[in-house]
Amino acid sequence: MEIVKLLKKSKKPKYKQIVSSIENAIVNGTLKKGDQIPSINSLRDTHNLSRDTVLAAFNELKNRGIVHSVVGKGYYVSSENISVSKKVFLLFDELNAFKEDLYNSFLACVGEHVQVDIFFHHFNTKLFNNLILDSIGDYSHYIVMPANLQDTHLVLENLPKEKVYILDQLQPELNSYAAIFQDFENDIQNGLLQGKELLKKYTKLILVFDDKVQPKGMKIGFQKFCTAHRFESEVIESIKDKTPQKNEVYIIPDDRNLIRLIKKLKETSLKLNTDFGIISYNDTMLKEIVEGGITTISTDFNKMGENLANILQEKEQKHIKNPTKLIIRNSL
């Protein structure tokens, strides 16, 4: 049975006619998941087409997740769901509560007929590179959260630039890509400046900062603020070997160290808000109620998801800075 039929007098481009023929064959049951579709060479020769025309059709079907290629064998039906219009590769650094908010907001705003496959690199460069390389040609859009990994531009160069969107941290070598980003250096300075009057009752500011995970701009901004406003300061990697002291304020980007600090605080006579202060990064509902409320410097992750969906739909190559603010609660 002839699967691909082309109409010479049709105004529809030939590659679109190939796409429609494959879709129709799936809908009417001629092709099922796992079936092989006609080869590039057979379609080229049968219909007197260029190889590029056939390949354009196959790439569209592949990007939507409808077919996949097997090296040396050909193309096969991957999915019978032809309604998928976009297939999105979404690479996060790690999963946590605020990333879940971002993900759910993105899904709610991106519209129907979009398939989103989510992956995590866990701050591992080798894993990051392998995930990117293994995905080449399989997606219509690539959303990538590079975190602070070095030289990510080298592997991203294997992807079509117009299909790549950078999320959260925007390294200088990635400036040519569309991006929804946080300005960590200025955001922490502005957040601390908003809380400066409350910070004055303490004598020392301590940033808990892991160079392998946290954005470098955060530490730079913290040090600039402390120098400009004459606060005694310290940067430590972990709270594990640190004993809380009176008149200290801890700025904590990760929740694990936040929990450790609260547990250690309960072993002392220090009173939160009076003798001791905490500023956490990235707001969650839990931080609204723990210890009467934890002060946070936080970007709007729901807004980030919404902005991401919009830039994807508009196909715009631009940079959008996501808003960040200080939320003052009992811990300061």
Side-chain angles (χ1 to χ4, degrees):
M1 181 179 292
E2 187 179 13
I3 291 174
V4 174
K5 298 178 181 179
L6 303 184
L7 301 176
K8 293 181 179 180
K9 295 183 178 180
S10 174
K11 293 181 180 180
K12 192 174 187 178
K14 294 293 191 297
Y15 85 94
K16 283 289 187 183
Q17 291 189 53
I18 296 172
V19 170
S20 297
S21 293
I22 300 296
E23 289 177 337
N24 291 336
I26 292 172
V27 170
N28 64 33
T30 302
L31 286 176
K32 298 184 181 298
K33 186 174 180 180
D35 288 349
Q36 186 172 14
I37 66 175
S39 69
I40 293 176
N41 289 340
S42 68
L43 290 178
R44 179 197 62 188
D45 295 341
T46 300
H47 298 284
N48 193 26
L49 301 169
S50 73
R51 182 179 175 83
D52 287 345
T53 297
V54 182
L55 193 57
F58 281 20
N59 282 339
E60 178 175 322
L61 291 165
K62 190 177 179 183
N63 287 340
R64 290 164 55 196
I66 295 171
V67 304
H68 70 281
S69 60
V70 178
V71 177
K73 292 187 176 181
Y75 288 78
Y76 295 81
V77 177
S78 301
S79 172
E80 296 177 19
N81 181 12
I82 67 166
S83 64
V84 173
S85 60
K86 295 185 181 75
K87 190 180 179 188
V88 179
F89 173 89
L90 177 58
L91 180 56
F92 278 168
D93 47 20
E94 62 181 354
L95 180 62
N96 45 41
F98 36 93
K99 300 282 173 51
E100 190 174 353
D101 289 341
L102 163 58
Y103 176 67
N104 289 333
S105 174
F106 174 65
L107 288 185
C109 297
V110 77
E112 298 180 351
H113 311 310
V114 177
Q115 178 182 326
V116 180
D117 294 343
I118 186 168
F119 304 88
F120 302 92
H121 61 71
H122 303 290
F123 306 97
N124 183 305
T125 300
K126 184 177 180 180
L127 179 57
F128 178 94
N129 291 345
N130 287 340
L131 287 169
I132 295 293
L133 293 174
D134 289 346
S135 73
I136 291 174
D138 291 341
Y139 294 88
S140 59
H141 301 79
Y142 295 82
I143 301 169
V144 179
M145 187 177 282
N148 58 3
L149 297 178
Q150 299 299 305
D151 297 326
T152 54
H153 65 290
L154 297 178
V155 70
L156 290 176
E157 287 173 355
N158 292 284
L159 301 174
K161 183 165 289 186
E162 70 278 3
K163 293 184 176 183
V164 177
Y165 302 82
I166 304 301
L167 198 57
D168 207 35
Q169 289 192 55
L170 183 60
Q171 308 294 353
E173 60 270 21
L174 299 177
N175 275 332
S176 60
Y177 293 97
I180 311 292
F181 71 100
Q182 295 187 65
D183 183 352
F184 290 95
E185 181 177 332
N186 287 315
D187 287 346
I188 192 169
Q189 291 184 78
N190 293 335
L192 294 175
L193 186 61
Q194 290 172 43
K196 183 181 174 183
E197 292 306 311
L198 291 172
L199 291 172
K200 283 181 178 179
K201 63 183 178 182
Y202 306 100
T203 57
K204 187 175 184 179
L205 275 60
I206 299 173
L207 175 66
V208 183
F209 186 87
D210 185 345
D211 281 300
K212 301 182 190 70
V213 175
Q214 306 302 340
K216 291 177 174 57
M218 185 184 292
K219 182 166 71 171
I220 294 169
F222 169 77
Q223 292 170 330
K224 282 184 176 181
F225 173 84
C226 292
T227 299
H229 300 280
R230 299 181 180 180
F231 280 98
E232 183 184 353
S233 66
E234 185 180 0
V235 178
I236 62 175
E237 185 174 329
S238 172
I239 202 72
K240 283 183 180 179
D241 302 319
K242 192 77 173 174
T243 301
Q245 303 293 325
K246 189 173 182 178
N247 294 325
E248 291 179 338
V249 177
Y250 279 73
I251 295 95
I252 310 178
D254 71 289
D255 290 352
R256 181 167 295 181
N257 275 306
L258 173 63
I259 294 168
R260 286 178 182 149
L261 181 60
I262 291 173
K263 287 177 68 176
K264 286 192 173 193
L265 195 60
K266 290 183 181 297
E267 298 169 0
T268 73
S269 60
L270 298 177
K271 187 177 179 182
L272 192 61
N273 178 288
T274 303
D275 305 317
F276 191 85
I278 296 176
I279 300 175
S280 177
Y281 239 85
N282 300 317
D283 203 38
T284 64
M285 287 191 291
L286 192 60
K287 292 174 187 177
E288 295 179 23
I289 56 176
V290 170
E291 296 298 311
I294 301 295
T295 296
T296 62
I297 296 175
S298 184
T299 197
D300 186 336
F301 285 99
N302 288 312
K303 186 66 176 176
M304 184 177 282
E306 181 184 328
N307 282 335
L308 184 59
N310 288 339
I311 200 173
L312 218 69
Q313 290 165 339
E314 295 166 2
K315 299 180 181 179
E316 290 189 86
Q317 297 297 111
K318 62 182 180 180
H319 292 174
I320 299 177
K321 181 184 179 302
N322 213 60
T324 297
K325 64 179 179 179
L326 176 72
I327 304 171
I328 298 174
R329 299 194 181 106
N330 180 64
S331 70
L332 198 60

